[in-house]
Amino acid sequence: MALPKISILGAGQVGATTAHLLALKGLGDVTLIDVVEGLAQGKALDLMQSAPIEAFPVQVCGTTDYDAMADSRLVIITAGLARKPGMSREDLLAANANIVGPIAQRLAAVAPEAVVIVVTNPLDLMVALTLQRSGFPRSRVMGMAGVLDSARLRSFIAMRLAVAPSDVQAMVLGSHGDLMVPLRGSITVKGKPLTTWLRSEEIDQLLQRTKEGGAEIVALLKQGSAFYAPASGVCEMAGAVLRNTHAVVPVCAALQGEYGLREVCIGVPAQLGAAGIERIVELPLTPEERAALQAAARQLSDSFT
Ligand code: TXD
């Protein structure tokens, strides 16, 4: 059976790491595309040379030509600038809009049936832009951030309690940035509420570290931002789409009335399958969580107008 075609725009840190993980998982044939001549080609060749050792069955190729996206089942947009120390995600808005906008337009022409996962920052605004420029239905355009923010929180809790990260369940919604909304009351460790494991002040500290999780890594790296966990986040979403798993994961999606919000792209739980977003899952929120989600949505609407 032919493998699905996956195109990744941007062969930088997140794009190339995602290509590597997709290949190792055998999720599809990968086309890496980057404006820098030779970069995508070089990384694709390097990845192909790991195939005899890793025994993955997929093809990886690299190019500078956007039209190589043609007929992709999945398009992953990582093209753009990454943060430097001291920069906010919003500082990237103008430059990255000029990169993501034309990509969205081109992909609509050559891969009209694709599901799109946006990674480029500022994430929620780039999802809205991709939706607008591609003209795709909202079911086929989503952003990756909630999986990453949730994984960061889960890892901090697991490190603090010295438990297996997979024993920690937590979900982070809202905007990818200061206005992320962790569902504090529903965090569990080995099935028991986090409040039975840690004092409230300690939980506050872990939530604060999660909010600053991206900046912590930017400050350590001094150039570029996180990419291993972001690539894992993309692969989880890609796997749910390509394998039609119907898994519920937090994604940035366009809302049309869900959670009382419309005309905004923001992190919410969604069921993913072959068609993309199959449905947005409306979890019961506390009044504080609902207010925090609304505040995040207000800020996003303000920055887009
Ligand atoms: O949670 C999340 N959504 C994020 C988002 C987690 C991590 C990184 N996040 C954002 O993804 C980050 O702030 C950036 O906006 C993107 C990509 O991050 P990455 O770390 O991969 O940046 P790199 O290594 O600089 O790679 C970007 C590549 C680079 O090779 C450029 O040459 C290329 O994008 N690029 C382009 N490719 C194709 N077409 C155009 N126009 C283009 N412009 C730049």
Side-chain angles (χ1 to χ4, degrees):
M1 205 176 69
L3 286 169
K5 174 172 173 179
I6 308 166
S7 291
I8 303 179
L9 279 295
Q13 303 276 50
V14 178
T17 310
T18 300
H20 193 194
L21 286 179
L22 291 171
L24 291 175
K25 289 171 193 268
L27 276 169
D29 291 324
V30 178
T31 300
L32 269 173
I33 305 174
D34 200 288
V35 273
V36 176
E37 183 58 58
L39 183 71
Q41 294 92 323
K43 290 193 178 178
L45 200 54
D46 191 9
L47 282 167
M48 281 308 286
Q49 290 167 6
S50 73
I53 306 166
E54 300 291 351
F56 57 70
V58 315
Q59 299 294 316
V60 185
C61 64
T63 176
T64 53
D65 183 5
Y66 284 177
D67 286 1
M69 286 187 275
D71 303 322
S72 296
R73 176 81 189 80
L74 183 68
V75 174
I76 298 166
I77 304 178
T78 76
L81 307 183
R83 282 196 286 172
K84 297 196 173 69
M87 281 176 95
S88 77
R89 294 179 175 93
E90 284 63 35
D91 291 337
L92 303 169
L93 178 56
N96 285 351
N98 283 331
I99 294 170
V100 171
I103 289 174
Q105 249 160 316
R106 195 69 210 135
L107 90 85
V110 301
E113 303 302 324
V115 170
V116 186
I117 299 176
V118 181
V119 183
T120 306
N121 271 324
L123 193 267
D124 309 273
L125 299 175
M126 290 303 112
V127 174
L129 180 69
T130 301
L131 197 58
Q132 191 189 74
R133 293 291 176 85
S134 65
F136 278 10
R138 66 177 181 138
S139 56
R140 286 201 279 119
V141 179
M142 62 188 104
M144 191 294 298
V147 181
L148 171 64
D149 294 330
S150 306
R152 283 183 171 148
L153 176 55
R154 293 169 66 196
S155 72
F156 292 145
I157 294 169
M159 287 189 269
R160 167 65 185 81
L161 295 173
V163 298
S166 54
D167 280 342
V168 182
Q169 295 307 323
M171 197 178 279
V172 178
L173 309 182
S175 172
H176 184 49
D178 294 341
L179 294 177
M180 63 179 73
V181 182
L183 301 186
R184 183 188 176 113
S186 47
I187 304 172
T188 60
V189 178
K190 299 187 184 181
K192 289 196 296 186
L194 183 60
T195 44
T196 64
W197 296 80
L198 289 176
R199 284 179 298 115
S200 177
E201 305 79 70
E202 276 192 290
I203 299 176
D204 287 343
Q205 281 166 10
L206 295 174
L207 294 179
Q208 189 56 30
R209 189 173 179 196
T210 304
K211 282 194 181 172
E212 293 162 4
E216 183 179 358
I217 291 176
V218 170
L220 287 167
L221 296 180
K222 298 188 186 64
Q223 49 184 351
S225 49
F227 52 98
Y228 291 115
S232 292
V234 175
C235 281
E236 174 160 31
M237 292 167 65
V241 171
L242 297 169
R243 294 191 169 136
N244 195 24
T245 65
H246 315 295
V248 174
V249 292
V251 307
C252 176
L255 301 188
Q256 291 301 352
E258 298 88 358
Y259 291 97
L261 299 169
R262 9 186 103 249
E263 306 298 336
V264 68
C265 294
I266 197 164
V268 288
Q271 181 180 309
L272 302 186
I277 297 175
E278 296 178 326
R279 96 192 153 85
I280 288 168
V281 177
E282 292 203 64
L283 297 176
L285 300 185
T286 64
E288 293 76 29
E289 289 161 354
R290 189 166 283 277
L293 196 63
Q294 278 162 354
R298 258 196 313 277
Q299 170 156 324
L300 286 169
S301 307
D302 288 350
S303 16
F304 208 47
T305 46

